[in-house]
Amino acid sequence: MDDQAMDAEAAAILRQEATAYDVLGVDPRADANAIRRAYHNRSMRWHPDRCNHARRTEVMQRINSSYESVRDEARRANYDESLRAAARRARRNRDSPWIGATMRNGAYGRLMEFVAKVDRDGVFEMTLPTIVVVGLESHGKSSLMERLALRDVFPRGGGFVT
């Protein structure tokens, strides 16, 4: 694989929106054997001992974490449900008149669209400034950050602190 193809594959794997299936390069309906083969193939290509690409370690970490999410039936079922839940939340948030609409239609939203168009494949590693939200426990910091980012970022449930 040439350098340009490796750059493109690395960018696709490291895309924030990429699912575990995208990272492994398999269809979400793939069987366990296809997922295992895809993991093995990607691991062999990106393993730091075999690959000299600048982002090989980062890519390999993403491949490993993606495989961990779908490596057995129980984990895969949980992962698939989390994808469905995120899609439901995204649909609800998209239609919300609250801060998400303000951010999406405001300057920050237009800037996000610009970055997404210019750096569609993540090749240039363009990022927006870091935004920090400070507040007391259970006062909506995570929800505000997700509204700013216009995507679900944080896991739900007990035992998780932002």
Side-chain angles (χ1 to χ4, degrees):
M1 192 179 262
D2 67 359
D3 289 345
Q4 193 171 19
M6 291 293 281
D7 288 344
E9 185 173 309
I13 288 171
L14 296 173
R15 252 186 37 241
Q16 186 173 5
E17 301 83 20
T19 67
Y21 301 110
D22 297 333
V23 169
L24 296 172
V26 296
D27 187 277
R29 297 171 300 223
D31 65 14
N33 287 331
I35 290 173
R36 195 172 14 268
R37 278 191 311 274
Y39 169 71
H40 178 74
N41 291 338
R42 288 258 163 119
S43 294
M44 294 301 285
R45 183 166 51 249
W46 286 98
H47 193 280
D49 292 341
R50 300 183 72 164
C51 178
N52 62 359
H53 191 274
R55 300 183 81 186
R56 65 188 175 269
T57 302
E58 189 179 1
V59 168
M60 192 64 207
Q61 288 171 344
R62 185 76 187 269
I63 291 168
N64 286 332
S65 67
S66 294
Y67 182 65
E68 283 298 312
S69 298
V70 297
R71 73 183 174 122
D72 62 45
E73 290 302 317
R75 288 176 189 227
R76 187 173 179 183
N78 286 338
Y79 181 76
D80 290 346
E81 178 52 37
S82 72
L83 288 178
R84 288 189 292 275
R88 286 190 300 270
R89 282 192 304 272
R91 281 192 300 276
R92 272 196 316 268
N93 291 343
R94 182 181 59 232
D95 300 329
S96 171
W98 202 61
I99 191 170
T102 303
M103 294 303 296
R104 188 172 41 255
N105 297 325
Y108 195 77
R110 289 192 302 275
L111 185 58
M112 286 175 63
E113 288 174 13
F114 173 76
V115 169
K117 286 178 186 173
V118 170
D119 197 20
R120 180 180 56 235
D121 297 325
V123 174
F124 302 109
E125 299 180 27
M126 295 176 71
T127 57
L128 294 177
T130 301
I131 297 173
V132 177
V133 177
V134 179
L136 299 175
E137 182 179 351
S138 299
H139 279 73
K141 297 178 299 298
S142 297
S143 297
L144 177 60
M145 292 302 294
E146 288 177 342
R147 295 288 182 151
L148 291 171
L150 299 177
R151 67 175 57 114
D152 293 322
V153 177
F154 303 107
R156 300 291 190 255
F160 179 77
V161 180
T162 56

